[in-house]
Amino acid sequence: MEVILEVKNLSKKFGGFEALKGVNLSVKKGTIHALIGPNGAGKTTLLNIINGLESPTEGEIFFEGKKINHLSVEKRAQLGLGRTFQLLEIFGDLTVLENIKVALFAKSSWGLLKSFFLGKSFNPFERELEKEAFSLLQIVGLSHKALELAKNLPAGEQKLLEICRALALKPKLLLLDEPAAGLNTRETKELGLILTQIKKNLDVTILIVEHDMELVMRISDVITVLNFGEVLSEGTPLQIQKDSKVIKAYLGEEL
Ligand SMILES: Nc1ncnc2c1ncn2[C@@H]1O[C@H](COP(=O)(O)OP(=O)(O)O)[C@@H](O)[C@H]1O
Ligand SMILES: [Mg+2]
């Protein structure tokens, strides 16, 4: 299987503190790859370095075989590296549909010019956007809420909207940082199904940091376990559940 993301010998120091120590990670195209580990293990730091929010102290990052260390967050997004953040970043006072249209609009600079010239009254481009926005909303199961204000959605649906917005930017690899945080059991199940759908139907590879072990074990193809900034173990959900090193690292936390 083709590798979409390769992280080589990555280290990150915050002052004298080593948050990541020689991490190697290889994410295969078409998989859901989970990154787990106790609090403070370095998971968010690793995601931030992959998408360009922070720079590594040492090491290399390759996306589709191309070294991306020197590229900005925006440039990486253009190449197909998408992400959502722990904090919601949707526009509460826009409708669900408008939130997706804004993202689709932002993706298309061609559209920007075009809609300028076509004006508001007759705008086939906008109709195109709307169609595309609807089909994305369908994928995350939110099309029936298209006309509601985003701020009026329950937490679980806001999370889905946030993921939908990331999808509007057409990522090849989607980075998710604890998408199930704050969701109830039913919403978490739903999220798992939707992530599996996204992988299958949109051909998006997913690298997910997640605390909810039931979700991780249910949807992941591969799991990498970080502990104190180092890769402790890697394998399928079954292999990870049986790994005594992993169980030991999680003592005191629920697995
Ligand atoms: N900007 C920063 N400055 C100093 N220390 C940081 C910074 N960001 C993260 N850390 C430290 O690095 C370690 C890893 O953090 P983080 O990547 O957020 O862990 P995780 O997401 O696995 O819980 C933690 O000990 C955290 O306190
Ligand atoms: Mg974190």
Side-chain angles (χ1 to χ4, degrees), residues 17-20 37-45 211 226-229 253:
F17 176 75
E18 273 189 291
L20 295 171
N39 267 324
K43 305 179 296 294
T44 296
T45 302
H211 251 100
L226 273 186
N227 195 28
F228 296 115
E253 293 198 31

Side-chain angles (χ1 to χ4, degrees), residues 46-63:
L46 183 51
L47 283 197
N48 286 347
I49 291 175
I50 291 169
N51 98 124
L53 274 177
E54 296 193 61
S55 51
T57 309
E58 229 182 288
E60 296 172 304
I61 312 142
F62 297 89
F63 184 65

Side-chain angles (χ1 to χ4, degrees), residues 44 86 177-178:
T44 296
Q86 260 172 319
D177 198 354
E178 304 206 11

Side-chain angles (χ1 to χ4, degrees), residues 50 85 90 108 173:
I50 291 169
F85 295 86
I90 54 177
S108 159
L173 174 66

Side-chain angles (χ1 to χ4, degrees), residues 21-169:
K21 306 167 196 166
V23 169
N24 291 297
L25 178 72
S26 187
V27 177
K28 293 199 173 82
K29 200 168 174 351
T31 58
I32 295 182
H33 192 130
L35 199 55
I36 68 170
N39 267 324
K43 305 179 296 294
T44 296
T45 302
L46 183 51
L47 283 197
N48 286 347
I49 291 175
I50 291 169
N51 98 124
L53 274 177
E54 296 193 61
S55 51
T57 309
E58 229 182 288
E60 296 172 304
I61 312 142
F62 297 89
F63 184 65
E64 294 191 308
K66 180 180 151 71
K67 190 168 167 180
I68 59 166
N69 282 55
H70 57 292
L71 300 181
S72 65
V73 175
E74 293 75 22
K75 190 73 203 167
R76 291 181 206 202
Q78 278 168 25
L79 288 179
L81 252 172
R83 86 167 284 183
T84 64
F85 295 86
Q86 260 172 319
L87 288 173
L88 294 174
E89 50 165 24
I90 54 177
F91 302 118
D93 288 319
L94 296 185
T95 66
V96 167
L97 185 66
E98 283 163 347
N99 264 279
I100 302 307
K101 278 166 73 179
V102 166
L104 286 170
F105 193 70
K107 174 71 182 167
S108 159
S109 47
W110 172 85
L112 194 70
L113 277 175
K114 196 102 175 176
S115 58
F116 249 118
F117 292 119
L118 287 172
K120 266 204 160 171
S121 52
F122 175 67
N123 198 338
F125 171 71
E126 184 162 2
R127 219 168 293 156
E128 266 319 295
L129 274 191
E130 198 149 304
K131 246 168 71 185
E132 201 177 344
F134 255 113
S135 76
L136 282 170
L137 285 172
Q138 249 153 15
I139 287 167
V140 300
L142 277 183
S143 51
H144 64 297
K145 297 273 177 99
L147 300 181
E148 288 198 24
L149 290 185
K151 66 181 176 195
N152 294 339
L153 299 185
E157 290 180 345
Q158 290 202 8
K159 200 61 71 90
L160 294 176
L161 178 55
E162 196 195 357
I163 290 170
C164 191
R165 274 208 358 169
L167 290 176
L169 301 178

